Each structure stands twice: as C-alpha cells, then as structure tokens.
C-alpha cells in the first residue's frame, strides 16, 4: 500500500506531467483570451457597423448644373456643385486611364477583397529594409472609404472605421462601381476632382482624348496632389509619370513600342476654359463664397443644382489688384516683424540628400502638414549659415538663399547663440518665397489684413479680399471682423461738430488731462496723443490733420456723446456698437471694414447713405434673369444722411489729411488732389487702418491679428495699411481723370480762407473748446493755473461761442 502511494507521487512530479498541465492551462488561457477578444471585437463591430455611412450617397450621380459666380466683366471666380467634377460613367472612361490608375495605385484591385494582404506584407518588408516609410498599402477601396467619409486624422479609431467601411463598400458595390467612384471623385490638385476634370485642368482636353503618357501623369497625382500635379511641380510629376509608365509596361498594359513612345512624348500643359485652373484667372475666393452665402439665404441647397449664375459687382482688374496689394502688404509687414523661427526642426538623417527617394518621401509627408500656400513654398533646410541657407524643395530642386537683405529677415535665427525655437539649422522646416529677383526664407504670416473698395454712387463693391489666404480659413474679415476703428472714426466726430456750430477755425486745446473714477463712473481715464506729444492749442483743421486725440475728445465733449452716438447712425453704424462715451472719439466702438467703407461713401457721394451690395443680378440655366439688384442711388432725397455743407467741408479737411497730414504719402505717390482719407491706429497698435476715397471710389484697409495683440510700437495705419491702399489705387485709378471740388453748397461761405455755415458765421460760431475765455487770461499772458482748471473747462461745457465784435470782452 505504501509502495503504491509513493509510485503515484513520483508519477505526478515527473517533468512530462508538469509540462502537460502547463500547456493545458496556457491553452485554456489563450482560448479564453481569444474568446474575450472575439467578444470585444464582435461588440465593437456591432456598435460601429450601424454607424457607418449610407453608401447610397456615393452612387447618386443625378446630373446637376453647378452654381457659378462671375465678376461684372464675366470672369469666372467660383463654382459650387457636383457637376464641376465632369462625371463620366465607367464605360466612358478610356481603358488607358483605368490601366494607368491600377498600375499606379492598386494592381491587384480585381483580385483582393478590399485589403491587399500581399501588398501589406510587401510594404512592411520594404519599410523595414529602408528603415522609413517608403511604401504604402492602401488599396483603391480604402482610399474611396477615406476620401468620401472619413477624416484624415491618424488615429486607431479612424483606421478601424476605415477598414469596416472598406469591407462594407466591397460587399455592397461591384469592383467597377468602386473604380468608377474613385475615378470621378478623387482630388487631383488645382480644385480638380476626378480624372475627367483633371484632364481638362492640366491638358485642356476631354479624358477620352488623352494619350498613355498623359494618363500616366494624371495617375501619378493622387499620391500627393499638391506636389505631384504638373502645374505645381512639373519635374516631380514627370518623375512620377515615368514610374507609372514603367508599371504599365511591366504589367502588360503597354508593349515595348508603346512604352518607348509614351516616355518620349512631350507633355504640353494647357488648362481648358471654364475649369477651376483655367477659368479662375483672378483670386476671387472671398467674393465667390460671400455671393454663395447670400444666394443660399434665399434658395437654400437648391442653388447647387439649378444652374444659377451670379454676376457680382466686382471687377476682375480691381479684384486682382486688391489681392496682390493685400498679400504684398502682409508679407512686407512679416519682413519687418521679429522672425519667430522655423515651423519646426526635424532630425534629418545624415546623407538623406544623397538618397532621392527617401528625401522626396520625407518632403511629401511634410507637404501634408505644411502645404504650399500660393507663392509660399515648403522646404527643409539642408544647411544654414549667416551667409547662405540651402533648402530642399525636392531631391531635384535645391535652392540657395544668399541675398543679404533676405538673410537679414531671419538673422536672429542664424547667429551662433540663437535660441532653439528660433534657430535655423539642418532639418528646419521653412517657407521659401521668390521676392523680386531673389529667394527669401519667410515665416507663414500670422498677421491678417482685409480690403474692400466700392463705388460711392450706389455702393457697388468693386473689390473684396477678406484675408491672406482663403484656403487657410474662410473667415471673411471684411464682413465678419468687428474691430475698433481708432482714428479712422474721427471724421464722423468732426462732421457732427460742424453741424453743432464748430468750424475748421475753432481753436481747441491739445493739453493732456485726466478723468477720475468718480467722473467716469468706472475707472480713471488718462488718454494720450500718439507719441505723447502735445501742443497748447490747435484749430479743428490742424487737429484732424495731425490726428490729435486730445482735440477729438474735447470736440466730442463739446458736442455731447449722446448727440454723436445718434449722429453716426446716419452713416450706417450700429448704435449699440458705438457707445455714448468719450472714448468713442478715439474710435473705441466696433466696425467692420465693409461698414466703414459704406460710411466713408457718404462723404464721397455728397452725403447720401448707399448700403454696399455685391450681387448685380442672377440668371437661371437658360440665361433668364431671376434676380436683379435695385441699389439706392446717391441723389435720392430719401437717402440723404448729412448736410451737403458738412460733406463739402469734410472733403476739404480730409483732402488736407491726404496732402499734408498723417496720410500725406497719398499725395506724394499718387499726385492727385481729389483724394481724401484718414489713418487709424488703436491702442497698442492692435489695429491699423486707412480709409480713403475719391468722388468715384472708396477703399478701406485693415491690418491686425485675429486675436488682438500689438502689431509693434512703431506700426501705424500710415505705415502698415496705407501701402496696401496705395498699391490698389495705383491700378484702380490709372488713367482716371481727377474730379475737382464742386461749387460751394447753398448756406456755406468761405471767409478769410475758412468755411462757415450761414447760421454759424464769424462772431457766432464756436471759437474755442477747452481753452480759457479771453477775459480769463491774465494780462501778463499767463495760462491756466493747473490741469485741474483745464479739466473743469472740459467737463463744464467748455465750448464757447465767439461774442459779437461790438461787445467788449
């Protein structure tokens, strides 16, 4: 009995028995883990599958005629609607295009079930061998899933949904339908969607007419539309084309003779008329979007399928001049501003410039994060020194920046002790810009600007640019940015004063003062002149020329804040945004550039309020006019906003500003006497403005940061915004004759070189504001005893009418 027991114990402790039990337990554990995984996977699938998009929208190809936007001279500036993709049915797409796409993107498309596992394995091995991402494994079906319904964020959740949607597409649609979708909807650069549209965009021909060489070039674009399209980078597109041709040859789509002929064919780029690339000859993106929004408010989604054509008031020449002026002004400011450093600095592998494929792959990935923005081109620094920066745009496009002035812009990033976030070194990601005859490294501008011009006779908008780059964000600063106008608002304060008895000859104190918290009802206020420069006294005319804050405040105090608030609404300003407080004299309210332009139009057109408008008329697909604007016309008595005498005097005053005041550069450069205007700069230079006009054209420029911060202590409306206005006006006023001042309106006289309303002649007009009366001035010529006396004059209604000359002082 004892022997048997011992034998049993020995067997149970044998190595084989222990290993067996371990394997059994491990098997149970793995099976349980697998079961849990399967349950979790099933749960995830059950939750995610119902949330996948309905595929019916993918195959809804009902013919639709797009909405098109034109300038007043019939230049296409925008197109909204599916038909812009030039949709073709599968049988209408030439076989050479299909074979080129399959060769470039997914040669086993008709064999796999949505995921090409052989391709995945091949890509993994290639990437491991090169220690970098040199190959991808996305199939055409996966690209369709990603491009149609999913974002481009790189997360596991998005990838999971992409795989599920890929399986759903494969289970629902035939292979031909999937390829049809891909070929009609894929983005191919320059606003072209689908290969039919791309063929017209790049080669100016129908897709059915393309050659194998052209098909291969188009098929190479999807890999990186911004970089591989032939307009943006012909050399890269050509390299990619040769790769696709080689694949077509090796897969049997081209025989030897066809392959050699395709390689030798010269590619001629030509955009067909009416395409986004060929038809958008000017930059009217903000105009087109605003016009679309205006029509959408009437017809809603129907505007995208009914063949509407919107004809705007904008003129193509003026619009392009405005775009170039805004862009140039922003870049000029960026050159003056402190260089903030490169976008980022990568750990660039040693010798990558000697490996074209690796360098191009890195730059392609970089382009997705930092895409080219117009003429600002992304590159990576290969080497940098105070005398030269070498930047790679591609393996075949290496640019040296050596111009001394260009290097000064980024000098703080090239010095030996430069801080890490500012230093330009190997691997730095920068933007290149060709300026005049040389290249420069310049950061992507953070500052923004807006410009709008309009015809003061009826408010027709002639040009509108809402920011530096529409593609960066569709926020239209002309219509949507409410900003403080600063001194650009002062003419409206001065105009109110003329109708209350002040004249251009009225003497006004320019001395500083303080309002206590008790006097303001909130907190103490110590306004200052720009540069903290003061003068004892100035005339109203001189105060406007020099844009003196103390003068403007005293004028508003004399007229009355409530009266001013009521008065400025005549120009189209919102009452609630222009509070009846003294800081309003310095432009502390809020306006949009478009609103300010409409207000200045009142001065330009003789005193009539003409609301700005953008759409002249709209036609349907047959050309029938279905909407026609009926603008208010200057001269309509019902539109009279202010006294014509006030207009005449204010025009004279603002022509003086543009001749010898803060805007004197206008006269120096344009050599015209019919321009009036006013600069504007807010506290700490958060906003810089220039508003200027002739009797036939008003233009307003704003510059600032979307999140208000200082432009720099030396930046003003005259230095930052006026150059943009001048660049535009040089083109817009070219060959336009000057308009001389008209005759004096009834009830206005010019006496001793200055203007007086008949009801406020010399002797009855207000002679002084914020100054002591002659009888209060000591015989020795001394002034007021203190600032307190001056304050008492200011807050105690210190506007005095001149006494009749026959009454002694």
């Amino acid at each position: 009995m004892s022997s048997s027991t011992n034998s049993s114990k020995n067997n149970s402790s044998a190595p084989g028995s222990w290993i067996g039990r371990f394997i059994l337990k491990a098997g149970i554990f793995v099976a349980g883990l697998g079961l849990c995984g399967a349950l979790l996977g099933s749960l995830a699938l059950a939750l995610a599958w119902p949330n996948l998009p309905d595929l019916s929208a993918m195959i809804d190809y009902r013919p639709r005629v797009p909405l098109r936007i034109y300038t007043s001279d019939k230049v296409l500036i925008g197109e909204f609607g599916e038909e812009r993709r030039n949709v073709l049915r599968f049988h209408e797409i030439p076989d050479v295009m299909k074979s080129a796409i399959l060769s470039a993107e997914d040669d086993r498309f008709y064999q796999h079930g949505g995921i090409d596992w052989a391709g995945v394995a091949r890509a993994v091995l290639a990437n491991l061998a090169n220690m970098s991402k040199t190959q991808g494994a996305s199939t055409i079906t996966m690209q369709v899933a990603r491009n149609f319904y999913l974002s481009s964020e790189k997360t596991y959740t998005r990838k999971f949904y992409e795989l599920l949607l890929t399986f759903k597409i494969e289970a629902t649609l035939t292979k031909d339908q999937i390829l049809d979708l891909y070929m009609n909807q894929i983005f191919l650069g320059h606003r072209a969607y689908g290969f039919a549209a791309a063929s017209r965009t790049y080669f100016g021909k129908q897709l059915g007419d393309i050659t194998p060489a052209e098909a291969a070039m188009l098929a190479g674009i999807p890999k990186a539309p911004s970089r591989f399209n032939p307009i943006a980078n012909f050399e890269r597109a050509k390299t990619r084309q040769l790769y696709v041709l080689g694949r077509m040859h090796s897969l049997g789509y081209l025989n030897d003779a066809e392959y050699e002929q395709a390689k030798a064919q010269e590619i001629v780029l030509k955009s067909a008329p009416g395409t986004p690339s060929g038809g958008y000859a000017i930059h009217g993106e903000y105009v087109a979007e605003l016009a679309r929004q205006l029509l959408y408010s009437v017809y809603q989604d129907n505007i995208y399928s009914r063949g509407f054509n919107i004809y705007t008031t904008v003129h193509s020449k003026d619009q392009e001049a405005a775009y170039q002026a805004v862009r140039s002004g922003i870049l000029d400011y960026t050159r003056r501003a402190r260089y903030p450093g490169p976008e980022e600095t990568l750990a660039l592998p040693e010798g990558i410039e000697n490996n074209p494929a690796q360098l191009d792959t890195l730059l392609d990935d970089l382009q997705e994060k930092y895409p080219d923005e117009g003429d600002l081109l992304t590159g990576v620094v290969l080497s940098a020194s105070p005398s030269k920066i070498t930047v790679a745009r591609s393996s075949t496009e290496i640019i040296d920046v050596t111009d001394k002035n260009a290097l000064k812009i980024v000098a703080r990033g090239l010095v030996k002790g430069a801080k890490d976030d500012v230093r330009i070194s190997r691997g730095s990601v920068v933007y290149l810009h060709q300026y005049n005859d040389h290249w420069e490294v310049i950061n992507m501008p953070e500052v923004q600007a807006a410009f709008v011009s309009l015809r003061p006779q009826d408010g027709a908008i002639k040009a509108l640019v809402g920011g530096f780059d529409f593609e960066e964000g569709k926020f239209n600063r002309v219509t949507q940015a409410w900003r403080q106008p600063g001194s650009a608002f002062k003419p409206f304060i001065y105009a109110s004063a003329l109708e209350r008895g002040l004249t251009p000859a009225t003497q006004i104190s320019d001395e500083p003062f303080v309002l206590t918290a008790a006097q303001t009802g909130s907190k103490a206020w110590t306004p200052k002149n720009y540069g903290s420069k003061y003068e004892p006294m100035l005339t109203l005319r001189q105060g406007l020329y020099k844009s003196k804050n103390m003068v403007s405040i005293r004028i508003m105090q004399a007229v009355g804040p409530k009266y001013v608030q009521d008065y400025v609404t005549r120009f189209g300003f919102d009452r609630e945004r222009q509070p009846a407080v003294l800081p309003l004299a310095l432009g502390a309210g809020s306006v949009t550039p478009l609103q300010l332009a409409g207000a200045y139009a009142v001065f330009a057109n003789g005193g009539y309020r003409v609301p700005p408008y953008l759409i002249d008329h709209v036609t349907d697909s047959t050309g029938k006019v279905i909407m026609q604007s009926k603008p208010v016309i200057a001269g309509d008595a019902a539109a009279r906003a202010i006294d014509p005498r006030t207009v005449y005097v204010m025009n004279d005053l603002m022509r003086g500003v543009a001749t010898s005041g803060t805007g004197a550069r206008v006269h120096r450069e344009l050599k015209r006497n019919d321009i009036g205007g006013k600069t504007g700069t807010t506290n700490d230079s958060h906003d810089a403005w220039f508003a200027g006009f002739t009797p036939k054209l008003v233009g307003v420029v704003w510059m600032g940061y979307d999140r208000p911060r200082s432009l720099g202590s030396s930046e003003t409306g005259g230095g930052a915004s006026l150059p943009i206005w001048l660049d535009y006006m040089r083109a817009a006023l070219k060959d336009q004759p000057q308009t001389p001042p008209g005759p004096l309106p009834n009830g206005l006289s010019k006496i001793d070189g200055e203007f007086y309303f008949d009801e406020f002649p010399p002797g009855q007009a207000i002679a002084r504001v914020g100054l002591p009366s002659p009888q209060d001035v000591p015989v020795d010529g001394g002034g007021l005893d203190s600032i307190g006396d001056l304050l008492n004059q200011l807050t105690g209604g210190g506007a005095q009418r001149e006494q009749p000359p026959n009454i002694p002082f």
Side-chain angles (χ1 to χ4, degrees):
M1 184 69 177
S2 176
S3 174
S4 174
T5 302
N6 289 338
S7 174
S8 175
K9 289 180 179 180
N10 291 337
N11 290 338
S12 65
S13 61
S17 176
W18 178 84
I19 294 173
R21 290 198 304 275
F22 175 79
I23 293 174
L24 178 62
K25 291 179 180 180
I28 293 173
F29 175 77
V30 171
L33 193 64
L35 180 61
C36 290
L39 290 174
L40 288 174
S42 299
L43 179 61
L45 184 61
L47 293 174
W49 190 267
N51 293 322
L52 293 176
D54 181 4
L55 301 187
S56 61
M58 298 176 68
I59 54 176
D60 182 12
Y61 282 136
R62 290 175 297 171
R64 297 177 180 179
V65 182
L67 167 69
R68 292 189 174 93
I69 320 291
Y70 295 90
T71 63
S72 60
D73 50 333
K74 296 181 174 55
V75 176
L76 181 68
I77 57 173
E79 198 172 40
F80 301 89
E82 291 184 9
E83 194 67 21
R84 65 191 296 194
R85 289 179 171 84
N86 303 107
V87 175
L88 297 179
R89 297 303 179 200
F90 187 74
H91 68 273
E92 297 175 309
I93 300 172
D95 290 340
V96 68
M97 190 71 252
K98 296 173 186 174
S99 62
I101 293 168
L102 294 175
S103 300
E105 294 294 322
D106 190 354
D107 62 272
R108 298 187 67 254
F109 173 71
Y110 281 96
Q111 284 75 50
H112 63 66
I115 299 177
D116 184 5
W117 297 109
V120 171
R122 185 171 60 249
V124 169
L125 292 175
N127 294 339
L128 288 174
N130 291 278
M131 297 304 291
S132 65
K133 184 183 176 182
T134 60
Q135 287 189 24
S138 289
T139 64
I140 284 177
T141 312
M142 293 168 70
Q143 292 183 56
V144 168
R146 181 167 59 248
N147 292 333
F148 271 71
Y149 291 114
L150 302 172
S151 70
S152 59
E153 61 177 345
K154 297 181 178 180
T155 63
Y156 289 113
T157 301
R158 187 205 62 77
K159 196 66 178 177
F160 177 65
Y161 271 95
E162 179 184 315
L163 292 175
L164 291 184
L165 186 55
T166 296
F167 292 135
K168 184 174 183 178
I169 292 172
E170 287 278 348
T172 307
L173 305 177
T174 67
K175 287 289 187 178
D176 286 354
Q177 286 177 313
I178 296 171
L179 188 57
D180 181 299
L181 285 171
Y182 179 83
M183 298 187 68
N184 277 300
Q185 300 290 349
I186 191 76
F187 176 62
L188 295 165
H190 283 269
R191 306 176 191 168
Y193 288 82
F195 288 92
S199 179
R200 299 183 68 233
T201 296
Y202 299 118
F203 307 131
K205 58 173 65 175
Q206 299 297 325
L207 188 62
D209 299 328
I210 62 169
T211 65
E214 293 165 339
M217 184 162 282
L218 293 180
I221 296 175
K223 180 176 174 63
S226 297
R227 291 179 65 80
F228 286 166
N229 78 76
I231 291 178
N233 193 328
F234 185 81
E235 291 302 319
R236 293 299 305 278
K238 183 67 178 177
T239 301
R240 179 72 177 159
Q241 177 219 31
L242 293 176
Y243 163 78
V244 175
L245 285 174
R247 293 283 296 155
M248 293 174 72
H249 182 232
S250 63
L251 292 170
Y253 291 119
L254 296 177
N255 59 37
D256 293 345
E258 291 169 334
Y259 174 58
E260 294 299 328
Q261 182 180 2
K263 287 197 300 180
Q265 180 185 330
E266 180 182 358
I267 298 295
V268 178
L269 300 181
K270 178 184 177 183
S271 295
T275 62
S277 180
Y280 298 167
I282 63 169
H283 294 84
E285 296 90 345
Y286 285 102
V287 175
E289 174 59 18
L290 181 56
R292 182 199 67 79
Q293 292 174 10
L294 292 172
L295 196 66
Y296 181 87
S297 67
V298 178
Y299 289 100
Q300 302 297 307
D301 288 328
N302 285 335
I303 65 174
Y304 305 118
S305 60
R306 296 173 60 179
F308 289 148
N309 298 294
I310 299 178
Y311 293 88
T312 67
T313 58
V314 165
H315 192 277
S316 61
K317 178 177 72 71
D318 286 356
Q319 178 62 29
E320 189 62 16
Y323 171 83
Q324 296 297 341
V326 167
R327 200 164 180 91
S328 176
I330 289 177
L331 290 176
D332 281 345
Y333 170 84
T334 303
R335 293 184 188 98
R336 295 193 303 271
R338 188 178 177 85
Y339 177 63
E343 303 300 322
E344 68 171 292
T345 297
L346 308 173
L348 204 62
E350 195 65 36
I352 191 174
E353 52 266 54
N354 300 319
N355 186 332
Q358 189 179 9
L359 179 59
D360 286 337
T361 297
L362 181 146
L363 289 166
D364 292 342
D365 292 341
L366 203 62
Q367 185 68 215
E368 294 184 13
K369 187 175 182 180
Y370 303 104
D372 294 343
E373 298 287 354
D375 53 359
L376 296 184
L377 310 176
T378 308
V380 64
V381 174
L382 299 180
S383 64
S385 73
S387 59
K388 184 171 76 171
I389 306 173
T390 300
V391 184
R393 282 272 298 151
S394 71
S395 60
T396 58
E397 187 180 4
I398 309 296
I399 296 171
D400 289 331
V401 178
T402 57
D403 183 84
K404 292 182 179 180
N405 290 326
L407 292 169
K408 286 181 181 178
I409 298 172
V410 296
R412 68 189 297 255
L414 298 173
V415 296
K416 186 176 181 180
K419 295 182 178 179
D420 291 343
D421 60 337
V422 175
R423 183 184 297 113
I424 298 175
S425 59
R426 180 178 173 82
S428 293
V429 180
V430 298
Y431 282 98
L432 288 165
H433 177 249
Q434 192 159 17
Y435 182 54
N436 296 330
D437 60 347
H438 64 267
W439 286 94
E440 62 183 0
V441 168
I442 192 167
N443 57 291
M444 180 61 65
E446 296 181 16
V447 75
Q448 287 292 345
F451 177 85
V452 61
S453 68
L454 54 83
R455 187 168 58 209
Q457 284 69 38
D458 61 0
I461 295 173
K462 307 305 295 179
L464 184 152
V465 180
F468 182 73
D469 187 357
F470 179 78
E471 299 303 325
E472 273 291 291
K474 297 174 176 56
F475 181 67
N476 189 338
R477 294 157 190 86
V478 168
T479 59
Q480 296 175 288
W482 291 93
R483 308 292 294 223
Q484 290 188 340
S487 296
F489 196 75
K490 289 178 180 177
F492 308 102
I493 308 296
Y494 279 64
S496 71
L498 294 177
E499 298 195 9
R500 298 281 278 181
L502 277 72
T503 75
T506 299
Q507 295 181 343
I508 305 167
S509 171
D510 185 43
E511 296 286 359
F513 67 91
V514 175
L515 291 181
T516 66
Q519 290 168 317
T520 64
S522 57
K523 59 182 180 180
W525 185 43
T526 309
K528 297 179 181 179
N529 280 339
Y530 179 76
S532 297
K533 296 179 180 179
Y534 305 90
E535 300 178 54
M537 172 274 295
L538 292 169
T539 65
L540 180 145
R541 179 182 292 276
Q542 292 169 331
L544 186 62
Y545 286 7
K546 297 182 178 182
S547 196
K548 291 285 191 168
N549 289 342
M550 300 300 107
V551 172
S552 298
I553 295 169
R554 286 185 167 90
I555 288 174
M556 185 162 178
Q557 175 65 25
V559 174
K562 185 64 171 65
Y563 177 83
V564 171
Q565 183 189 43
D566 292 338
Y567 185 81
V568 299
T569 61
R570 303 183 193 179
F571 295 86
F573 294 117
D574 299 332
R575 183 186 303 274
E576 63 274 13
R577 293 184 184 270
Q578 312 303 330
V581 294
L582 287 182
L584 183 62
L586 309 184
S590 297
V591 303
T592 66
L594 181 61
Q595 192 179 62
L596 193 62
Y600 269 83
V602 176
F603 291 132
N605 67 23
Y608 300 91
R609 182 181 169 190
V610 290
Y613 71 104
L614 179 65
I615 297 177
D616 182 77
H617 66 280
V618 179
T619 67
D620 62 16
S621 58
T622 68
K624 179 183 177 182
V625 175
I626 59 172
M627 292 179 65
Q628 177 68 59
S629 66
K630 295 181 179 179
V632 175
I633 306 297
D636 182 350
R640 168 65 67 185
I642 62 174
D643 193 311
R645 298 173 299 174
T646 302
V647 175
Y648 194 94
V649 176
M650 288 306 303
N651 272 266
D652 183 78
L653 290 174
M654 283 190 280
R655 284 195 297 268
V657 172
T659 302
S660 55
T662 55
R665 183 177 172 184
V666 171
H667 186 267
R668 288 199 308 269
E669 297 200 14
L670 297 184
K671 303 294 191 296
R672 296 179 68 104
N673 297 315
D674 62 344
I675 296 177
K678 186 68 185 75
T679 56
T681 311
T682 61
N683 280 347
D684 298 322
S685 297
H686 283 185
D687 303 271
W689 296 82
F690 186 77
F693 61 92
T694 71
K696 296 182 179 179
L697 189 64
V698 175
V700 169
V701 183
W702 165 84
M703 182 180 285
Y705 290 96
D706 285 337
R707 293 185 177 181
R709 60 185 174 96
S710 179
L711 291 165
S713 58
S714 62
E715 296 292 342
T716 63
S721 293
L722 177 54
I724 296 175
W725 190 90
L726 286 170
D727 281 352
Y728 170 81
M729 287 295 176
R730 284 191 192 95
L733 297 179
K734 185 179 181 181
D735 301 326
Q736 296 294 320
Q738 294 191 46
T739 304
L744 288 178
N746 293 331
L748 182 67
S749 303
K750 192 170 187 178
I751 303 171
D752 295 330
E754 205 48 276
F755 295 103
Y756 293 86
F757 288 11
D758 284 0
E759 62 268 35
F760 304 123
Q764 295 184 27
I766 293 176
R768 291 170 295 277
V769 173
L771 293 174
S773 302
Q775 64 265 29
D776 295 332
V777 179
V779 176
D780 63 7
L784 295 175
D785 293 334
S786 68
I787 293 295
D789 292 333
L790 184 65
L791 181 59
N792 290 333
Q793 287 256 339
L794 175 70
T795 58
Q800 304 172 20
R801 294 190 184 279
E802 186 177 345
Q803 299 179 42
N806 61 336
I807 299 177
F809 285 114

